[in-house]
Protein backbone atom coordinates (compact mmCIF):
# COMPACT_ATOMS: atom_id res chain seq x y z
CA UNK A 1 0.00 0.00 0.00
CA UNK A 2 1.32 3.44 -0.91
CA UNK A 3 1.82 5.85 1.99
CA UNK A 4 -0.88 8.49 2.40
CA UNK A 5 -0.08 11.79 0.77
CA UNK A 6 -0.52 14.67 3.25
CA UNK A 7 -3.31 17.08 2.31
CA UNK A 8 -2.23 20.48 1.00
CA UNK A 9 -2.25 23.14 3.69
CA UNK A 10 -2.19 26.88 4.15
CA UNK A 11 -0.23 28.52 6.94
CA UNK A 12 -1.10 31.56 9.01
CA UNK A 13 0.97 33.34 11.63
CA UNK A 14 0.33 36.05 14.19
CA UNK A 15 3.75 37.43 15.10
CA UNK A 16 4.00 40.08 17.75
CA UNK A 17 0.78 39.91 19.74
CA UNK A 18 0.36 38.82 23.33
CA UNK A 19 0.23 35.15 22.31
CA UNK A 20 2.04 34.84 18.95
CA UNK A 21 1.29 31.62 17.09
CA UNK A 22 1.68 29.90 13.74
CA UNK A 23 -0.69 27.24 12.41
CA UNK A 24 -1.32 25.00 9.40
CA UNK A 25 -4.81 24.03 8.24
CA UNK A 26 -6.07 21.93 5.33
CA UNK A 27 -8.90 22.59 2.91
CA UNK A 28 -11.37 20.60 5.00
CA UNK A 29 -10.78 22.88 7.98
CA UNK A 30 -8.60 20.42 9.92
CA UNK A 31 -5.85 21.99 12.01
CA UNK A 32 -2.69 20.01 11.28
CA UNK A 33 -0.17 21.96 13.30
CA UNK A 34 0.06 24.73 15.88
CA UNK A 35 3.12 26.27 17.53
CA UNK A 36 4.03 29.25 19.69
CA UNK A 37 6.18 31.90 17.99
CA UNK A 38 7.36 33.97 20.94
CA UNK A 39 10.22 36.34 20.18
CA UNK A 40 9.92 35.96 16.41
CA UNK A 41 9.12 39.57 15.44
CA UNK A 42 12.21 41.25 13.93
CA UNK A 43 10.92 44.71 14.89
CA UNK A 44 10.68 43.99 18.61
CA UNK A 45 12.75 40.88 19.30
CA UNK A 46 16.03 41.73 17.60
CA UNK A 47 18.71 39.11 17.12
CA UNK A 48 17.48 35.55 17.03
CA UNK A 49 14.02 36.38 15.65
CA UNK A 50 14.66 34.51 12.40
CA UNK A 51 15.86 31.37 14.18
CA UNK A 52 12.90 31.38 16.57
CA UNK A 53 10.45 31.84 13.71
CA UNK A 54 12.12 29.00 11.77
CA UNK A 55 11.70 26.69 14.76
CA UNK A 56 8.01 27.59 15.05
CA UNK A 57 7.45 26.95 11.33
CA UNK A 58 9.12 23.54 11.59
CA UNK A 59 6.94 22.65 14.56
CA UNK A 60 3.65 23.81 13.03
CA UNK A 61 3.98 22.70 9.39
CA UNK A 62 3.90 18.95 8.62
CA UNK A 63 7.23 17.91 7.09
CA UNK A 64 5.79 16.35 3.92
CA UNK A 65 2.89 18.72 3.36
CA UNK A 66 2.42 20.81 0.24
CA UNK A 67 1.97 24.38 1.44
CA UNK A 68 -0.16 26.40 -0.95
CA UNK A 69 0.12 29.81 0.70
CA UNK A 70 1.36 31.44 3.89
CA UNK A 71 0.27 34.72 5.47
CA UNK A 72 2.27 36.31 8.28
CA UNK A 73 0.73 39.12 10.30
CA UNK A 74 3.60 41.04 11.92
CA UNK A 75 3.11 44.00 14.22
CA UNK A 76 5.00 47.03 12.96
CA UNK A 77 5.29 45.81 9.37
CA UNK A 78 4.36 49.03 7.64
CA UNK A 79 6.31 51.03 5.08
CA UNK A 80 9.97 50.13 4.89
CA UNK A 81 9.58 47.79 7.85
CA UNK A 82 7.59 45.39 5.66
CA UNK A 83 10.75 44.69 3.65
CA UNK A 84 12.55 43.60 6.82
CA UNK A 85 9.60 41.49 7.91
CA UNK A 86 9.30 39.81 4.51
CA UNK A 87 13.01 39.00 4.49
CA UNK A 88 12.78 37.55 8.00
CA UNK A 89 9.77 35.37 7.09
CA UNK A 90 11.42 34.16 3.88
CA UNK A 91 14.74 33.35 5.55
CA UNK A 92 12.99 31.63 8.44
CA UNK A 93 10.95 29.48 6.08
CA UNK A 94 14.09 28.44 4.21
CA UNK A 95 15.82 27.59 7.49
CA UNK A 96 12.84 25.56 8.68
CA UNK A 97 13.43 22.91 6.03
CA UNK A 98 9.80 22.99 4.90
CA UNK A 99 8.97 23.20 1.17
CA UNK A 100 8.39 26.76 -0.02
CA UNK A 101 4.72 27.78 -0.33
CA UNK A 102 3.49 27.28 -3.89
CA UNK A 103 1.93 30.72 -4.05
CA UNK A 104 4.44 32.50 -1.86
CA UNK A 105 4.63 34.15 1.53
CA UNK A 106 2.58 37.28 2.18
CA UNK A 107 3.45 39.62 5.04
CA UNK A 108 0.77 42.00 6.32
CA UNK A 109 0.31 43.99 9.50
CA UNK A 110 -1.40 42.78 12.63
CA UNK A 111 -4.20 45.24 11.78
CA UNK A 112 -5.09 43.33 8.62
CA UNK A 113 -5.25 39.92 10.27
CA UNK A 114 -7.30 41.37 13.14
CA UNK A 115 -9.95 42.58 10.66
CA UNK A 116 -9.95 39.26 8.83
CA UNK A 117 -10.38 37.49 12.19
CA UNK A 118 -13.71 39.24 12.66
CA UNK A 119 -15.47 39.06 9.31
CA UNK A 120 -15.51 37.35 5.93
CA UNK A 121 -16.46 40.69 4.36
CA UNK A 122 -13.96 42.47 2.13
CA UNK A 123 -15.03 45.98 3.23
CA UNK A 124 -15.51 47.46 6.69
CA UNK A 125 -13.96 49.04 9.75
CA UNK A 126 -11.75 47.63 12.50
CA UNK A 127 -11.99 49.32 15.91
CA UNK A 128 -9.32 48.11 18.30
CA UNK A 129 -8.63 48.83 21.96
CA UNK A 130 -6.11 46.70 23.78
CA UNK A 131 -2.68 47.85 24.86
CA UNK A 132 -2.97 50.30 21.94
CA UNK A 133 -5.97 51.75 20.11
CA UNK A 134 -6.88 52.58 16.52
CA UNK A 135 -9.58 52.61 13.88
CA UNK A 136 -8.94 51.31 10.36
CA UNK A 137 -10.97 51.14 7.16
CA UNK A 138 -10.71 48.30 4.64
CA UNK A 139 -11.80 48.11 1.01
CA UNK A 140 -11.51 44.81 -0.88
CA UNK A 141 -9.44 43.39 2.00
CA UNK A 142 -6.92 46.25 1.67
CA UNK A 143 -6.10 48.63 4.52
CA UNK A 144 -7.09 52.05 3.16
CA UNK A 145 -7.01 54.36 6.16
CA UNK A 146 -6.12 54.25 9.84
CA UNK A 147 -6.60 56.65 12.72
CA UNK A 148 -4.38 56.66 15.82
CA UNK A 149 -2.29 53.65 16.75
CA UNK A 150 0.44 56.22 17.32
CA UNK A 151 1.79 54.75 20.53
CA UNK A 152 1.21 55.70 24.13
CA UNK A 153 3.32 58.86 24.10
CA UNK A 154 1.43 60.50 21.23
CA UNK A 155 -1.91 58.72 21.01
CA UNK A 156 -3.57 55.35 21.54
CA UNK A 157 -6.48 57.24 23.08
CA UNK A 158 -9.03 54.89 24.60
CA UNK A 159 -6.55 52.04 24.93
CA UNK A 160 -5.81 50.01 28.02
CA UNK A 161 -2.57 51.91 28.58
CA UNK A 162 -4.37 55.23 28.15
CA UNK A 163 -6.98 54.16 30.72
CA UNK A 164 -4.27 53.08 33.15
CA UNK A 165 -2.36 56.34 32.88
CA UNK A 166 -5.52 58.41 33.25
CA UNK A 167 -6.38 56.41 36.37
CA UNK A 168 -2.94 56.94 37.87
CA UNK A 169 -3.07 60.63 36.97
CA UNK A 170 -6.43 60.91 38.75
CA UNK A 171 -4.88 59.39 41.87
CA UNK A 172 -1.93 61.79 41.62
CA UNK A 173 -4.31 64.74 41.39
CA UNK A 174 -6.12 63.66 44.55
CA UNK A 175 -2.86 63.14 46.41
CA UNK A 176 -1.69 66.57 45.30
CA UNK A 177 -5.07 68.18 46.09
CA UNK A 178 -5.54 69.15 42.44
CA UNK A 179 -8.47 66.85 41.87
CA UNK A 180 -11.43 65.10 43.49
CA UNK A 181 -11.30 62.07 45.72
CA UNK A 182 -11.57 58.77 43.89
CA UNK A 183 -11.65 55.08 44.74
CA UNK A 184 -8.70 54.74 42.36
CA UNK A 185 -6.25 56.38 44.77
CA UNK A 186 -5.85 53.58 47.35
CA UNK A 187 -5.44 51.10 44.49
CA UNK A 188 -2.81 53.34 42.94
CA UNK A 189 -0.90 53.48 46.23
CA UNK A 190 -0.98 49.70 46.54
CA UNK A 191 0.18 49.43 42.93
CA UNK A 192 3.03 51.87 43.52
CA UNK A 193 4.19 49.98 46.60
CA UNK A 194 4.29 46.78 44.55
CA UNK A 195 6.15 48.35 41.63
CA UNK A 196 8.55 50.84 43.13
CA UNK A 197 10.75 51.63 46.09
CA UNK A 198 8.86 52.62 49.24
CA UNK A 199 9.04 56.32 50.07
CA UNK A 200 7.62 58.48 52.85
CA UNK A 201 5.77 60.77 50.44
CA UNK A 202 3.06 58.78 48.63
CA UNK A 203 3.17 61.21 45.72
CA UNK A 204 6.85 60.58 45.14
CA UNK A 205 6.31 56.86 45.56
CA UNK A 206 3.72 56.97 42.77
CA UNK A 207 6.05 59.04 40.57
CA UNK A 208 8.90 56.58 41.11
CA UNK A 209 6.73 53.55 40.38
CA UNK A 210 5.38 54.99 37.13
CA UNK A 211 8.90 55.94 36.03
CA UNK A 212 10.18 52.46 36.85
CA UNK A 213 7.44 50.81 34.78
CA UNK A 214 7.49 53.23 31.83
CA UNK A 215 10.22 51.22 30.10
CA UNK A 216 7.65 48.43 29.75
CA UNK A 217 4.33 50.18 28.97
CA UNK A 218 2.37 46.92 28.97
CA UNK A 219 3.03 46.63 32.70
CA UNK A 220 1.54 50.06 33.26
CA UNK A 221 -1.48 48.97 31.28
CA UNK A 222 -2.44 46.45 33.91
CA UNK A 223 -3.93 49.27 36.00
CA UNK A 224 -6.66 49.63 33.36
CA UNK A 225 -8.48 46.69 34.95
CA UNK A 226 -8.72 48.70 38.19
CA UNK A 227 -10.17 51.66 36.31
CA UNK A 228 -12.85 49.61 34.56
CA UNK A 229 -13.68 47.74 37.77
CA UNK A 230 -14.15 50.94 39.76
CA UNK A 231 -16.17 52.47 36.94
CA UNK A 232 -18.48 49.46 37.03
CA UNK A 233 -18.78 49.98 40.80
CA UNK A 234 -19.88 53.57 40.27
CA UNK A 235 -16.82 55.68 41.09
CA UNK A 236 -17.46 59.03 39.31
CA UNK A 237 -13.83 59.68 38.39
CA UNK A 238 -13.31 56.19 36.97
CA UNK A 239 -16.63 56.44 35.14
CA UNK A 240 -15.51 59.71 33.57
CA UNK A 241 -12.29 58.08 32.35
CA UNK A 242 -14.19 55.18 30.80
CA UNK A 243 -16.62 57.57 29.12
CA UNK A 244 -13.70 59.59 27.71
CA UNK A 245 -12.09 56.39 26.39
CA UNK A 246 -15.28 55.33 24.65
CA UNK A 247 -15.76 58.81 23.20
CA UNK A 248 -12.24 58.77 21.75
CA UNK A 249 -12.79 55.38 20.13
CA UNK A 250 -16.15 56.39 18.67
CA UNK A 251 -14.61 59.61 17.34
CA UNK A 252 -11.95 57.58 15.53
CA UNK A 253 -14.64 55.28 14.14
CA UNK A 254 -16.57 58.28 12.80
CA UNK A 255 -13.49 59.59 11.01
CA UNK A 256 -12.80 56.37 9.08
CA UNK A 257 -16.44 55.37 8.56
CA UNK A 258 -17.56 58.75 7.24
CA UNK A 259 -21.21 58.74 6.23
CA UNK A 260 -21.37 54.95 5.75
CA UNK A 261 -22.66 52.27 8.12
CA UNK A 262 -19.94 49.68 7.65
CA UNK A 263 -19.46 46.15 8.86
CA UNK A 264 -17.46 46.72 12.04
CA UNK A 265 -15.02 44.40 13.77
CA UNK A 266 -14.21 45.00 17.43
CA UNK A 267 -10.79 43.83 18.56
CA UNK A 268 -8.60 44.06 21.64
CA UNK A 269 -9.43 43.03 25.17
CA UNK A 270 -11.30 46.20 26.11
CA UNK A 271 -13.75 45.76 23.23
CA UNK A 272 -14.12 41.98 23.14
CA UNK A 273 -14.38 41.36 26.89
CA UNK A 274 -17.19 42.36 29.23
CA UNK A 275 -15.98 45.88 30.09
CA UNK A 276 -17.79 49.21 30.50
CA UNK A 277 -15.74 50.51 27.55
CA UNK A 278 -17.22 47.82 25.30
CA UNK A 279 -20.74 48.56 26.55
CA UNK A 280 -20.39 52.29 25.88
CA UNK A 281 -18.82 51.80 22.45
CA UNK A 282 -21.40 49.25 21.30
CA UNK A 283 -24.21 51.53 22.46
CA UNK A 284 -22.78 54.39 20.40
CA UNK A 285 -22.17 52.20 17.34
CA UNK A 286 -25.72 50.84 17.38
CA UNK A 287 -26.84 53.84 15.30
CA UNK A 288 -23.61 54.21 13.33
CA UNK A 289 -22.40 50.77 12.22
CA UNK A 290 -23.87 47.93 10.22
CA UNK A 291 -23.13 44.42 11.44
CA UNK A 292 -20.88 44.43 14.52
CA UNK A 293 -18.73 41.37 15.25
CA UNK A 294 -15.94 40.48 17.66
CA UNK A 295 -12.56 39.46 16.29
CA UNK A 296 -11.29 35.98 17.08
CA UNK A 297 -7.59 35.43 17.81
CA UNK A 298 -5.62 37.18 15.04
CA UNK A 299 -4.20 33.86 13.79
CA UNK A 300 -7.72 33.07 12.56
CA UNK A 301 -7.44 36.10 10.31
CA UNK A 302 -4.00 35.08 9.04
CA UNK A 303 -5.29 31.60 8.12
CA UNK A 304 -8.37 33.11 6.51
CA UNK A 305 -6.21 35.36 4.31
CA UNK A 306 -3.90 32.47 3.38
CA UNK A 307 -6.93 30.37 2.39
CA UNK A 308 -8.16 33.28 0.29
CA UNK A 309 -4.81 33.41 -1.53
CA UNK A 310 -5.07 29.65 -2.21
CA UNK A 311 -8.61 30.08 -3.51
CA UNK A 312 -7.63 32.93 -5.80
CA UNK A 313 -4.69 30.96 -7.15
CA UNK A 314 -6.96 27.98 -7.80
CA UNK A 315 -9.38 30.28 -9.58
CA UNK A 316 -6.68 31.57 -11.90
CA UNK A 317 -6.17 28.02 -13.24
CA UNK A 318 -9.73 26.71 -12.93
CA UNK A 319 -11.92 25.77 -15.88
CA UNK A 320 -15.11 26.81 -14.10
CA UNK A 321 -16.20 29.30 -11.47
CA UNK A 322 -17.42 26.49 -9.21
CA UNK A 323 -13.98 24.90 -9.04
CA UNK A 324 -12.23 28.23 -8.67
CA UNK A 325 -12.24 28.26 -4.90
CA UNK A 326 -12.74 24.57 -4.34
CA UNK A 327 -12.22 23.41 -0.79
CA UNK A 328 -10.40 26.64 0.11
CA UNK A 329 -13.54 28.67 0.63
CA UNK A 330 -12.85 28.59 4.37
CA UNK A 331 -14.74 31.11 6.49
CA UNK A 332 -13.25 32.42 9.71
CA UNK A 333 -15.85 30.61 11.86
CA UNK A 334 -14.75 27.27 10.47
CA UNK A 335 -11.11 28.11 11.13
CA UNK A 336 -11.92 29.34 14.63
CA UNK A 337 -13.71 26.08 15.43
CA UNK A 338 -10.66 24.10 14.32
CA UNK A 339 -8.39 26.12 16.61
CA UNK A 340 -10.81 25.87 19.53
CA UNK A 341 -11.11 22.11 19.16
CA UNK A 342 -7.32 21.72 18.98
CA UNK A 343 -6.69 23.80 22.08
CA UNK A 344 -9.43 22.02 24.00
CA UNK A 345 -7.81 18.68 23.26
CA UNK A 346 -5.84 17.20 26.19
CA UNK A 347 -3.11 16.32 23.68
CA UNK A 348 -2.80 19.88 22.34
Amino acid sequence: MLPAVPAPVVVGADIGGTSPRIAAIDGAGHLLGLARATGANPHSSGAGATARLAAAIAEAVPAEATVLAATFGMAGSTGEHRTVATRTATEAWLASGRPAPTHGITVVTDIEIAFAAGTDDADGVLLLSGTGALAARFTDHELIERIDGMGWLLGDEGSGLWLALEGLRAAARELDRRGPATALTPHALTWSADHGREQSDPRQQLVAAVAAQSASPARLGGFARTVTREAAAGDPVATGIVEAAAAALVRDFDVVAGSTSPTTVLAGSLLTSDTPVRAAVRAALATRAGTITDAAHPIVGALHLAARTAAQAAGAHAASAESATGSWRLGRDRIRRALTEREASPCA
Side-chain angles (χ1 to χ4, degrees), residues 121-147:
D121 291 352
D123 305 332
V125 167
L126 172 74
L127 188 60
L128 181 148
S129 178
T131 302
L134 59 83
R137 180 167 61 90
F138 291 80
T139 300
D140 194 21
H141 298 284
E142 295 292 329
L143 176 61
I144 302 301
E145 182 182 14
R146 60 178 284 182
I147 299 295

Side-chain angles (χ1 to χ4, degrees), residues 129-133 148 151-152 154-169 217 220-221 224 227 240-248 270 277:
S129 178
T131 302
D148 209 346
W152 67 287
L154 296 177
D156 283 347
E157 295 180 44
S159 69
L161 184 51
W162 185 89
L163 276 171
L165 288 171
E166 287 298 301
L168 292 168
R169 289 179 181 127
L220 282 172
V227 176
I241 294 171
V242 164
E243 290 174 347
L270 282 170
V277 177

Side-chain angles (χ1 to χ4, degrees), residues 106-330:
T106 303
V107 174
V108 298
T109 69
D110 53 337
I111 302 171
E112 287 153 291
I113 63 172
F115 179 72
T119 181
D120 293 335
D121 291 352
D123 305 332
V125 167
L126 172 74
L127 188 60
L128 181 148
S129 178
T131 302
L134 59 83
R137 180 167 61 90
F138 291 80
T139 300
D140 194 21
H141 298 284
E142 295 292 329
L143 176 61
I144 302 301
E145 182 182 14
R146 60 178 284 182
I147 299 295
D148 209 346
M150 296 184 68
W152 67 287
L153 289 174
L154 296 177
D156 283 347
E157 295 180 44
S159 69
L161 184 51
W162 185 89
L163 276 171
L165 288 171
E166 287 298 301
L168 292 168
R169 289 179 181 127
R173 286 191 287 270
E174 179 186 353
L175 292 171
D176 209 30
R177 294 178 294 174
R178 293 180 288 118
T182 169
L184 296 171
T185 301
H187 293 296
L189 292 177
T190 299
W191 178 89
S192 67
D194 292 339
H195 293 87
R197 190 168 51 193
E198 186 174 352
Q199 300 190 35
S200 58
D201 185 340
R203 295 173 300 174
Q204 292 306 310
Q205 180 170 301
L206 185 57
V207 168
V210 170
Q213 297 302 308
S214 61
S216 180
R219 294 180 182 177
L220 282 172
F223 196 74
R225 289 187 291 272
T226 300
V227 176
T228 57
R229 185 174 64 246
E230 291 303 328
D235 179 72
V237 172
T239 298
I241 294 171
V242 164
E243 290 174 347
L249 293 168
V250 173
R251 174 204 63 206
D252 293 349
F253 171 88
D254 287 341
V255 171
V256 297
S259 60
T260 65
S261 298
T263 295
T264 300
V265 175
L266 302 181
S269 59
L270 282 170
L271 293 180
T272 57
S273 302
D274 184 16
T275 71
V277 177
R278 171 185 168 87
V281 167
R282 284 195 66 102
L285 294 186
T287 57
R288 290 172 162 88
T291 302
I292 301 174
T293 64
D294 292 342
H297 190 284
I299 198 172
V300 173
L303 287 164
H304 180 48
L305 292 178
R308 176 172 165 265
T309 297
Q312 289 177 331
H317 300 92
S320 68
E322 184 178 353
S323 62
T325 55
S327 62
W328 288 108
R329 189 177 289 167
L330 286 174

Side-chain angles (χ1 to χ4, degrees), residues 2 36 60 80 88:
L2 293 175
R36 299 287 176 181
E80 65 275 12
T88 297

